[in-house]
Amino acid sequence: AKLLRGRTILLVTHDPLEALRISQRIFIMAGRPARLSEATLPDGETPRDPAAAAVLHHHAELLRRLSTADAQP
């Protein structure tokens, strides 16, 4: 995470917790044709503690959004 500061990086992952730990903005790509969701903006500096209450809250919300992503137009 320290090496990424000040740089623009595109990270594609299937691990929402990894994205929450090191990302400034998180998008969900879903559908056909693929579309990007509105950005999730995690709070705090990276790398975030995966046990922090805010990270756990965002993680639950991100999992909810992922579970319904294909159902949305």
Side-chain angles (χ1 to χ4, degrees):
K2 290 178 184 176
L3 294 173
L4 301 178
R5 283 197 185 122
R7 301 176 192 270
T8 300
I9 305 293
L10 174 63
L11 170 70
V12 178
T13 183
H14 290 100
D15 185 345
L17 190 55
E18 176 185 31
L20 285 166
R21 289 195 69 234
I22 63 175
S23 299
Q24 297 298 319
R25 283 182 229 124
I26 300 170
F27 297 90
I28 295 172
M29 186 185 327
R32 292 186 184 180
R35 294 185 181 200
L36 292 179
S37 69
E38 289 191 32
T40 296
L41 306 171
D43 302 324
E45 291 293 316
T46 59
R48 293 176 192 85
D49 178 359
V55 172
L56 294 174
H57 172 76
H58 278 295
H59 188 242
E61 178 61 20
L62 199 51
L63 289 175
R64 185 195 64 74
R65 289 178 58 200
L66 284 166
S67 71
T68 62
D70 283 333
Q72 298 176 6

